[in-house]
Coordinates of all heavy atoms in Angstrom, one line a residue:
M4 N 10.4 -24.4 -18.5 CA 9.1 -24.3 -17.7 C 8.0 -25.1 -18.4 O 7.5 -24.6 -19.3 CB 8.8 -22.9 -17.4 CG 7.4 -22.7 -16.8 SD 6.7 -21.1 -16.9 CE 7.2 -20.5 -18.4
N5 N 7.8 -26.4 -18.0 CA 6.8 -27.2 -18.5 C 5.5 -27.4 -17.7 O 4.6 -28.2 -18.1 CB 7.4 -28.6 -19.0 CG 8.4 -28.3 -20.1 OD1 8.1 -27.5 -21.0 ND2 9.5 -29.0 -20.1
D6 N 5.6 -26.8 -16.5 CA 4.6 -27.0 -15.6 C 3.2 -26.2 -15.9 O 3.2 -24.9 -16.0 CB 5.1 -26.5 -14.1 CG 3.9 -26.9 -13.1 OD1 2.8 -26.9 -13.3 OD2 4.5 -27.1 -12.0
P7 N 2.1 -26.8 -16.3 CA 1.0 -26.2 -16.8 C 0.3 -25.2 -15.7 O -0.3 -24.2 -16.0 CB -0.1 -27.3 -17.0 CG 0.5 -28.5 -16.5 CD 1.9 -28.3 -16.2
I8 N 0.6 -25.5 -14.4 CA 0.0 -24.7 -13.3 C 0.7 -23.3 -13.3 O 0.3 -22.4 -13.2 CB -0.1 -25.4 -12.1 CG1 -1.0 -26.6 -12.1 CG2 -0.6 -24.5 -10.9 CD1 -2.4 -26.5 -12.5
V9 N 2.1 -23.4 -13.3 CA 2.9 -22.2 -13.3 C 2.6 -21.5 -14.5 O 2.6 -20.3 -14.5 CB 4.5 -22.7 -13.3 CG1 5.4 -21.5 -13.5 CG2 4.7 -23.3 -11.9
K10 N 2.5 -22.1 -15.8 CA 2.2 -21.3 -17.0 C 0.9 -20.5 -16.8 O 0.8 -19.4 -17.3 CB 2.1 -22.3 -18.1 CG 3.3 -22.8 -18.6 CD 3.2 -23.7 -19.8 CE 4.5 -24.2 -20.3 NZ 4.4 -25.2 -21.5
V11 N -0.1 -21.1 -16.1 CA -1.4 -20.4 -16.0 C -1.3 -19.3 -15.2 O -2.0 -18.2 -15.3 CB -2.6 -21.5 -15.8 CG1 -2.6 -21.8 -14.3 CG2 -3.9 -20.9 -16.2
I12 N -0.5 -19.5 -13.9 CA -0.3 -18.4 -13.1 C 0.4 -17.1 -13.9 O 0.0 -16.1 -13.6 CB 0.4 -18.9 -11.8 CG1 -0.4 -19.9 -11.1 CG2 0.9 -17.8 -11.0 CD1 0.3 -20.5 -9.9
I13 N 1.4 -17.5 -14.6 CA 2.1 -16.5 -15.2 C 1.2 -15.8 -16.3 O 1.3 -14.5 -16.4 CB 3.4 -17.1 -16.0 CG1 4.4 -17.4 -14.9 CG2 4.0 -16.1 -16.9 CD1 5.5 -18.3 -15.5
A14 N 0.4 -16.6 -17.0 CA -0.4 -15.9 -18.0 C -1.5 -15.1 -17.3 O -1.9 -14.0 -17.8 CB -1.2 -17.0 -18.7
A15 N -1.9 -15.4 -16.1 CA -2.9 -14.5 -15.3 C -2.2 -13.3 -14.9 O -2.8 -12.3 -14.9 CB -3.5 -15.4 -14.1
R16 N -1.0 -13.5 -14.4 CA -0.2 -12.2 -14.0 C -0.1 -11.3 -15.2 O -0.1 -10.0 -15.0 CB 1.1 -12.6 -13.4 CG 1.2 -13.3 -12.1 CD 2.5 -13.2 -11.4 NE 3.5 -13.9 -12.0 CZ 4.7 -14.1 -11.5 NH1 5.0 -13.7 -10.2 NH2 5.7 -14.8 -12.1
I17 N 0.3 -11.9 -16.4 CA 0.6 -10.9 -17.4 C -0.8 -10.3 -17.9 O -0.8 -9.1 -18.2 CB 1.1 -11.8 -18.6 CG1 2.5 -12.2 -18.4 CG2 1.0 -11.0 -20.0 CD1 3.2 -13.3 -19.2
S18 N -1.9 -11.1 -17.8 CA -3.2 -10.5 -18.1 C -3.5 -9.4 -17.3 O -4.0 -8.3 -17.7 CB -4.2 -11.6 -18.1 OG -5.5 -11.1 -18.4
L19 N -3.4 -9.5 -15.9 CA -3.6 -8.5 -15.1 C -2.6 -7.3 -15.2 O -3.1 -6.0 -15.1 CB -3.4 -9.0 -13.5 CG -4.6 -9.9 -13.1 CD1 -4.1 -10.5 -11.8 CD2 -5.9 -9.1 -13.0
L20 N -1.4 -7.5 -15.5 CA -0.5 -6.4 -15.8 C -0.9 -5.5 -17.0 O -0.9 -4.3 -17.0 CB 0.9 -6.8 -16.0 CG 1.5 -7.4 -14.7 CD1 2.9 -8.1 -15.0 CD2 1.8 -6.4 -13.6
I21 N -1.3 -6.3 -18.1 CA -1.8 -5.7 -19.3 C -3.1 -4.9 -19.1 O -3.2 -3.8 -19.6 CB -1.9 -6.7 -20.5 CG1 -0.7 -7.2 -20.9 CG2 -2.9 -6.1 -21.6 CD1 -0.7 -8.4 -21.8
E22 N -4.0 -5.4 -18.2 CA -5.2 -4.8 -17.8 C -4.9 -3.6 -16.9 O -6.0 -2.9 -16.5 CB -6.2 -5.7 -17.3 CG -6.6 -6.8 -18.3 CD -7.3 -7.8 -17.6 OE1 -7.7 -7.7 -16.4 OE2 -7.8 -8.9 -18.2
N23 N -3.8 -3.4 -16.3 CA -3.4 -2.4 -15.4 C -4.2 -2.6 -14.1 O -4.8 -1.6 -13.4 CB -3.6 -1.1 -15.8 CG -2.6 -0.7 -16.8 OD1 -1.5 -1.0 -16.8 ND2 -3.0 0.0 -18.1
K24 N -4.5 -3.8 -13.7 CA -5.4 -4.1 -12.5 C -4.5 -4.2 -11.2 O -5.2 -4.3 -10.2 CB -6.2 -5.4 -12.8 CG -7.0 -5.4 -13.9 CD -8.3 -4.7 -13.6 CE -9.2 -4.8 -14.8 NZ -10.5 -4.1 -14.6
V25 N -3.3 -4.3 -11.2 CA -2.6 -4.4 -10.0 C -1.1 -3.6 -10.2 O -0.7 -3.4 -11.3 CB -2.1 -5.9 -9.7 CG1 -3.4 -6.7 -9.3 CG2 -1.4 -6.6 -10.8
P26 N -0.6 -3.3 -9.1 CA 0.7 -2.5 -9.2 C 1.8 -3.4 -9.7 O 2.0 -4.5 -9.2 CB 1.0 -2.1 -7.7 CG -0.4 -2.4 -7.0 CD -1.1 -3.4 -7.7
V27 N 2.5 -3.0 -10.7 CA 3.4 -3.6 -11.4 C 4.6 -4.0 -10.6 O 5.2 -5.3 -10.6 CB 3.9 -3.0 -12.7 CG1 5.0 -3.6 -13.4 CG2 2.9 -2.7 -13.7
G28 N 5.1 -3.1 -9.8 CA 6.3 -3.3 -9.0 C 6.2 -4.3 -7.9 O 7.1 -5.0 -7.7
Q29 N 5.0 -4.5 -7.4 CA 4.8 -5.5 -6.4 C 4.6 -6.9 -6.9 O 4.6 -7.9 -6.2 CB 3.5 -5.2 -5.5 CG 3.7 -3.8 -4.7 CD 2.3 -3.7 -4.1 OE1 1.3 -4.2 -4.4 NE2 2.4 -2.8 -3.0
F30 N 4.4 -7.1 -8.2 CA 3.7 -8.3 -8.6 C 4.6 -9.1 -9.7 O 4.6 -10.2 -9.8 CB 2.5 -7.7 -9.2 CG 1.5 -8.9 -9.6 CD1 1.0 -9.7 -8.7 CD2 1.3 -9.0 -11.0 CE1 0.1 -10.7 -9.1 CE2 0.3 -9.9 -11.3 CZ -0.1 -10.9 -10.5
S31 N 5.1 -8.3 -10.7 CA 5.6 -8.9 -11.9 C 6.8 -9.9 -11.7 O 7.0 -10.9 -12.4 CB 5.9 -7.9 -13.0 OG 7.0 -7.0 -12.6
S32 N 7.7 -9.4 -10.7 CA 8.8 -10.2 -10.6 C 8.9 -11.2 -9.4 O 10.0 -11.8 -9.2 CB 10.1 -9.3 -10.5 OG 9.9 -8.5 -9.4
L33 N 7.8 -11.4 -8.7 CA 7.8 -12.3 -7.7 C 8.0 -13.8 -8.1 O 7.4 -14.2 -9.0 CB 6.4 -12.3 -6.9 CG 6.1 -10.9 -6.1 CD1 4.9 -11.1 -5.4 CD2 7.3 -10.5 -5.1
P34 N 8.9 -14.4 -7.4 CA 9.2 -15.8 -7.8 C 7.9 -16.8 -7.3 O 7.3 -16.3 -6.4 CB 10.4 -16.2 -7.1 CG 10.6 -15.2 -6.0 CD 9.9 -14.0 -6.4
L35 N 7.7 -17.8 -7.9 CA 6.6 -18.7 -7.5 C 7.1 -19.8 -6.7 O 8.2 -20.4 -7.0 CB 5.9 -19.3 -8.8 CG 5.2 -18.2 -9.7 CD1 4.8 -18.8 -11.0 CD2 4.1 -17.7 -9.0
E36 N 6.3 -20.3 -5.7 CA 6.6 -21.4 -5.0 C 5.4 -22.1 -4.6 O 4.5 -21.7 -4.1 CB 7.3 -20.9 -3.5 CG 7.8 -22.2 -2.6 CD 8.4 -21.6 -1.4 OE1 9.3 -20.8 -1.4 OE2 7.9 -21.8 -0.4
E37 N 5.4 -23.4 -4.9 CA 4.3 -24.3 -4.5 C 4.2 -24.7 -3.0 O 5.3 -24.9 -2.5 CB 4.2 -25.6 -5.3 CG 3.0 -26.4 -5.1 CD 3.1 -27.7 -6.0 OE1 4.0 -27.9 -6.8 OE2 2.2 -28.6 -5.8
R38 N 3.1 -24.5 -2.4 CA 3.0 -25.0 -1.1 C 1.7 -25.7 -0.9 O 0.5 -25.3 -0.9 CB 2.9 -23.8 -0.2 CG 4.1 -23.0 -0.2 CD 4.4 -22.3 1.2 NE 5.5 -21.4 1.2 CZ 5.7 -20.3 1.8 NH1 4.7 -19.8 2.7 NH2 6.8 -19.6 1.9
P39 N 2.0 -27.2 -1.0 CA 0.8 -28.1 -1.1 C -0.3 -28.0 0.1 O -1.3 -28.4 -0.1 CB 1.4 -29.3 -1.2 CG 2.9 -29.2 -1.0 CD 3.2 -27.8 -0.8
N40 N 0.2 -27.5 1.2 CA -0.8 -27.5 2.4 C -1.6 -26.2 2.5 O -2.3 -26.0 3.5 CB 0.0 -27.8 3.7 CG 0.6 -29.2 3.5 OD1 0.0 -30.1 3.1 ND2 1.8 -29.4 4.1
L41 N -1.5 -25.3 1.6 CA -2.3 -24.0 1.6 C -3.9 -24.4 1.7 O -4.2 -25.2 1.0 CB -1.8 -23.2 0.6 CG -0.5 -22.5 0.5 CD1 -0.5 -21.5 -0.8 CD2 -0.3 -21.6 1.7
Q42 N -4.5 -23.5 2.5 CA -5.9 -23.5 2.3 C -6.5 -22.5 1.3 O -7.7 -22.5 1.3 CB -6.5 -23.4 3.7 CG -6.0 -24.3 4.7 CD -6.4 -25.8 4.4 OE1 -7.5 -26.0 4.1 NE2 -5.4 -26.6 4.3
I43 N -5.7 -21.6 0.7 CA -6.2 -20.8 -0.2 C -5.4 -20.9 -1.3 O -4.2 -21.6 -1.4 CB -5.9 -19.2 0.4 CG1 -4.5 -18.9 0.7 CG2 -6.9 -19.0 1.6 CD1 -4.2 -17.4 1.2
A44 N -5.7 -20.2 -2.5 CA -5.0 -20.5 -3.8 C -3.8 -19.8 -3.9 O -2.8 -20.5 -4.2 CB -6.0 -20.0 -4.9
I45 N -3.6 -18.5 -3.4 CA -2.4 -17.9 -3.6 C -2.2 -16.9 -2.4 O -3.3 -16.2 -2.0 CB -2.3 -17.0 -4.9 CG1 -2.3 -18.1 -6.1 CG2 -1.2 -16.0 -5.1 CD1 -2.4 -17.5 -7.5
F46 N -1.0 -16.7 -2.0 CA -0.7 -15.6 -1.1 C 0.8 -15.2 -1.3 O 1.6 -15.8 -1.8 CB -1.1 -15.7 0.3 CG -0.1 -16.7 1.0 CD1 0.7 -16.1 2.0 CD2 0.0 -18.1 0.9 CE1 1.6 -16.9 2.7 CE2 0.9 -18.8 1.7 CZ 1.8 -18.2 2.5
I47 N 1.1 -13.9 -0.8 CA 2.5 -13.5 -0.9 C 3.1 -13.6 0.5 O 2.5 -13.1 1.5 CB 2.6 -12.1 -1.4 CG1 2.0 -12.1 -2.8 CG2 4.0 -11.6 -1.3 CD1 1.9 -10.7 -3.4
D48 N 4.2 -14.3 0.6 CA 4.9 -14.5 1.8 C 6.4 -14.2 1.6 O 7.1 -14.7 0.9 CB 4.8 -16.0 2.3 CG 5.4 -16.2 3.6 OD1 5.6 -15.3 4.4 OD2 6.0 -17.3 3.8
A49 N 6.8 -13.1 2.2 CA 8.3 -12.6 2.2 C 8.8 -12.5 0.8 O 9.9 -13.0 0.3 CB 9.2 -13.6 2.9
G50 N 8.1 -11.8 -0.1 CA 8.4 -11.7 -1.4 C 8.4 -12.7 -2.5 O 9.0 -12.8 -3.5
V51 N 7.5 -13.8 -1.9 CA 7.4 -15.0 -2.8 C 5.9 -15.2 -3.2 O 5.1 -15.1 -2.1 CB 8.1 -16.3 -2.2 CG1 7.7 -17.5 -3.1 CG2 9.5 -16.0 -2.1
L52 N 5.6 -15.5 -4.3 CA 4.0 -15.8 -4.5 C 3.9 -17.2 -4.4 O 4.3 -18.1 -5.2 CB 3.8 -15.3 -6.0 CG 2.2 -15.3 -6.4 CD1 1.8 -13.9 -6.0 CD2 2.0 -15.8 -7.7
C53 N 3.2 -17.5 -3.4 CA 3.0 -19.0 -3.0 C 1.7 -19.5 -3.4 O 0.7 -18.6 -3.4 CB 3.0 -19.1 -1.4 SG 4.5 -18.5 -0.7
F54 N 1.6 -20.7 -3.9 CA 0.3 -21.2 -4.4 C 0.1 -22.6 -4.0 O 0.9 -23.4 -3.8 CB 0.3 -21.1 -6.0 CG 1.4 -21.9 -6.8 CD1 1.0 -23.1 -7.2 CD2 2.6 -21.5 -6.9 CE1 1.8 -23.9 -7.9 CE2 3.5 -22.3 -7.7 CZ 3.0 -23.5 -8.0
S55 N -1.3 -22.9 -4.2 CA -1.7 -24.4 -3.9 C -2.1 -25.0 -5.3 O -3.0 -24.5 -5.9 CB -2.8 -24.5 -2.9 OG -3.5 -25.6 -3.0
R56 N -1.2 -25.9 -5.7 CA -1.6 -26.5 -7.0 C -3.0 -26.9 -7.2 O -3.7 -26.7 -8.3 CB -0.5 -27.6 -7.3 CG -0.7 -28.4 -8.4 CD 0.2 -29.4 -8.7 NE 1.6 -28.9 -8.8 CZ 2.1 -28.2 -9.8 NH1 1.5 -28.2 -11.0 NH2 3.5 -27.8 -9.8
E57 N -3.5 -27.6 -6.3 CA -4.8 -28.3 -6.4 C -5.9 -27.2 -6.4 O -6.8 -27.3 -7.2 CB -5.2 -29.1 -5.3 CG -4.2 -30.5 -5.3 CD -4.4 -31.2 -6.6 OE1 -5.5 -31.5 -7.1 OE2 -3.4 -31.5 -7.2
I58 N -5.7 -26.1 -5.6 CA -6.7 -25.0 -5.7 C -6.7 -24.2 -6.9 O -7.7 -23.9 -7.6 CB -6.5 -24.1 -4.4 CG1 -7.0 -24.9 -3.1 CG2 -7.5 -22.9 -4.5 CD1 -6.6 -24.3 -1.8
V59 N -5.5 -24.0 -7.4 CA -5.3 -23.1 -8.6 C -5.9 -24.0 -9.7 O -6.5 -23.5 -10.6 CB -3.8 -22.8 -8.8 CG1 -3.5 -22.2 -10.3 CG2 -3.3 -21.7 -7.8
K60 N -5.6 -25.2 -9.7 CA -6.1 -26.1 -10.9 C -7.6 -26.1 -11.0 O -8.2 -26.3 -12.0 CB -5.7 -27.6 -10.6 CG -5.8 -28.5 -11.8 CD -5.4 -29.9 -11.5 CE -4.4 -30.2 -10.5 NZ -4.1 -31.7 -10.3
S61 N -8.3 -25.9 -9.8 CA -9.8 -25.9 -9.8 C -10.4 -24.6 -10.2 O -11.7 -24.4 -10.5 CB -10.3 -26.2 -8.4 OG -10.1 -25.1 -7.5
L62 N -9.6 -23.6 -10.4 CA -10.1 -22.1 -10.7 C -10.2 -22.0 -12.2 O -9.4 -22.4 -12.9 CB -9.2 -21.0 -10.1 CG -8.9 -21.1 -8.6 CD1 -8.1 -20.2 -8.1 CD2 -10.4 -20.8 -7.8
T63 N -11.1 -21.1 -12.5 CA -11.2 -20.5 -14.0 C -10.1 -19.4 -14.0 O -9.6 -19.0 -13.1 CB -12.6 -19.9 -14.3 OG1 -12.7 -18.8 -13.5 CG2 -13.7 -20.9 -14.0
M64 N -9.8 -19.0 -15.2 CA -8.9 -17.9 -15.4 C -9.4 -16.5 -14.7 O -8.6 -15.9 -14.0 CB -8.6 -17.5 -16.8 CG -7.7 -16.3 -17.1 SD -6.0 -16.7 -16.4 CE -5.2 -17.7 -17.6
E65 N -10.7 -16.2 -14.7 CA -11.1 -15.0 -14.0 C -11.0 -15.3 -12.5 O -10.7 -14.4 -11.8 CB -12.5 -14.8 -14.4 CG -12.7 -14.2 -15.9 CD -11.7 -13.0 -16.2 OE1 -11.8 -12.1 -15.3 OE2 -11.0 -13.1 -17.2
E66 N -11.3 -16.5 -11.9 CA -11.2 -16.7 -10.6 C -9.8 -16.6 -10.1 O -9.4 -16.0 -9.1 CB -11.8 -18.1 -10.2 CG -13.3 -18.1 -10.4 CD -13.6 -19.6 -10.3 OE1 -13.0 -20.5 -10.5 OE2 -14.9 -19.7 -9.8
L67 N -8.8 -17.1 -10.9 CA -7.4 -17.0 -10.6 C -7.0 -15.6 -10.6 O -6.2 -15.1 -9.7 CB -6.7 -17.7 -11.7 CG -5.1 -17.7 -11.5 CD1 -4.6 -18.2 -10.1 CD2 -4.5 -18.7 -12.5
K68 N -7.3 -14.7 -11.6 CA -7.0 -13.4 -11.6 C -7.5 -12.6 -10.3 O -6.9 -11.7 -9.7 CB -7.5 -12.8 -12.9 CG -6.7 -13.2 -14.1 CD -7.3 -12.8 -15.5 CE -7.9 -11.5 -15.6 NZ -8.2 -11.1 -17.0
L69 N -8.8 -13.0 -9.9 CA -9.2 -12.4 -8.8 C -8.4 -12.8 -7.5 O -8.0 -12.0 -6.6 CB -10.7 -12.9 -8.5 CG -11.6 -12.3 -7.4 CD1 -11.5 -10.8 -7.5 CD2 -12.8 -12.9 -7.3
E70 N -8.0 -13.9 -7.4 CA -7.2 -14.5 -6.3 C -5.8 -13.8 -6.3 O -5.2 -13.4 -5.2 CB -7.0 -16.1 -6.4 CG -8.2 -16.7 -6.1 CD -8.8 -16.6 -4.6 OE1 -7.8 -16.5 -3.8 OE2 -9.9 -16.5 -4.4
L71 N -5.2 -13.6 -7.5 CA -3.9 -12.8 -7.7 C -4.2 -11.4 -7.2 O -3.4 -10.8 -6.4 CB -3.5 -12.9 -9.0 CG -3.0 -14.2 -9.5 CD1 -2.6 -14.3 -11.1 CD2 -1.5 -14.5 -8.8
K72 N -5.3 -10.8 -7.6 CA -5.5 -9.3 -7.2 C -5.6 -9.4 -5.7 O -5.1 -8.4 -5.0 CB -6.8 -9.0 -7.8 CG -6.6 -8.4 -9.2 CD -7.8 -8.0 -9.9 CE -8.7 -7.1 -9.1 NZ -10.0 -6.7 -9.8
R73 N -6.4 -10.3 -5.1 CA -6.6 -10.4 -3.6 C -5.2 -10.4 -2.9 O -5.0 -9.9 -1.9 CB -7.5 -11.5 -3.3 CG -7.8 -11.6 -1.8 CD -8.7 -12.9 -1.5 NE -10.0 -12.5 -2.1 CZ -10.8 -13.3 -2.7 NH1 -10.3 -14.7 -2.9 NH2 -11.9 -13.1 -3.3
A74 N -4.3 -11.2 -3.5 CA -3.1 -11.5 -2.8 C -2.1 -10.2 -2.9 O -1.4 -9.9 -1.9 CB -2.3 -12.6 -3.5
V75 N -2.3 -9.5 -3.9 CA -1.5 -8.3 -4.1 C -2.1 -7.1 -3.4 O -1.4 -6.3 -2.8 CB -1.3 -7.9 -5.6 CG1 -0.6 -6.6 -5.8 CG2 -0.4 -9.2 -6.3
T76 N -3.4 -6.8 -3.5 CA -3.9 -5.7 -3.1 C -4.9 -5.8 -1.8 O -5.2 -4.8 -1.3 CB -4.9 -5.0 -4.2 OG1 -6.0 -6.0 -4.5 CG2 -4.2 -4.8 -5.4
G77 N -5.2 -7.1 -1.6 CA -6.2 -7.2 -0.5 C -7.6 -7.0 -0.8 O -8.4 -7.0 0.1
R78 N -7.9 -6.6 -2.0 CA -9.2 -6.1 -2.5 C -9.7 -7.2 -3.4 O -8.9 -8.0 -4.0 CB -9.3 -4.9 -3.2 CG -8.9 -3.7 -2.3 CD -9.0 -2.5 -3.1 NE -8.7 -2.5 -4.4 CZ -7.9 -1.6 -5.1 NH1 -7.3 -0.6 -4.4 NH2 -7.7 -1.8 -6.4
T79 N -11.0 -7.4 -3.5 CA -11.7 -8.5 -4.4 C -12.5 -8.0 -5.4 O -12.9 -8.8 -6.2 CB -12.5 -9.4 -3.4 OG1 -13.5 -8.7 -2.8 CG2 -11.7 -10.1 -2.4
E80 N -12.8 -6.7 -5.5 CA -13.7 -6.2 -6.6 C -13.0 -6.3 -7.8 O -11.7 -6.1 -7.9 CB -14.3 -4.9 -6.3 CG -13.2 -3.7 -6.2 CD -12.5 -3.6 -4.9 OE1 -12.7 -4.2 -3.9 OE2 -11.5 -2.6 -4.9
P81 N -13.8 -6.4 -9.0 CA -13.1 -6.4 -10.3 C -12.5 -5.1 -10.6 O -12.7 -4.1 -10.1 CB -14.4 -6.7 -11.2 CG -15.4 -7.2 -10.4 CD -15.1 -6.7 -9.0

């Protein structure tokens, strides 16, 4: 795994899991799939964490974590 975008998504997932910010069972083992035509950074589709490389690349770590939380829980508050 040498893809820097995948690495940052994994790092954000681990950070959220350590912080206990999202349910572990729904989140930790989802495979990643790039979808270049997405209009949002991340969403979950049929058990796959789909992401837009360009949008994720433009986010800070905190923004990425917020997007991950939104994808998993539907909530946006910290």
Side-chain angles (χ1 to χ4, degrees):
M4 170 192 41
N5 292 322
D6 185 332
I8 299 301
V9 170
K10 285 181 180 180
V11 78
I12 292 171
I13 291 170
R16 287 200 300 189
I17 291 169
S18 177
L19 286 171
L20 292 172
I21 290 170
E22 296 169 5
N23 293 317
K24 299 283 186 176
V25 294
V27 174
Q29 296 178 338
F30 186 65
S31 62
S32 62
L33 294 179
L35 294 171
E36 178 180 303
E37 182 179 358
R38 295 209 182 153
N40 297 325
L41 285 182
Q42 299 299 312
I43 59 174
I45 293 176
F46 81 103
I47 297 173
D48 182 32
V51 176
L52 194 90
C53 305
F54 67 95
S55 165
R56 176 174 301 278
E57 292 305 313
I58 297 173
V59 169
K60 196 182 335 181
S61 72
L62 300 174
T63 66
M64 180 58 82
E65 289 306 312
E66 290 169 335
L67 177 56
K68 288 166 48 176
L69 184 62
E70 290 297 320
L71 286 166
K72 282 175 50 180
R73 182 178 295 135
V75 173
T76 66
R78 298 188 318 230
T79 59
E80 68 274 358

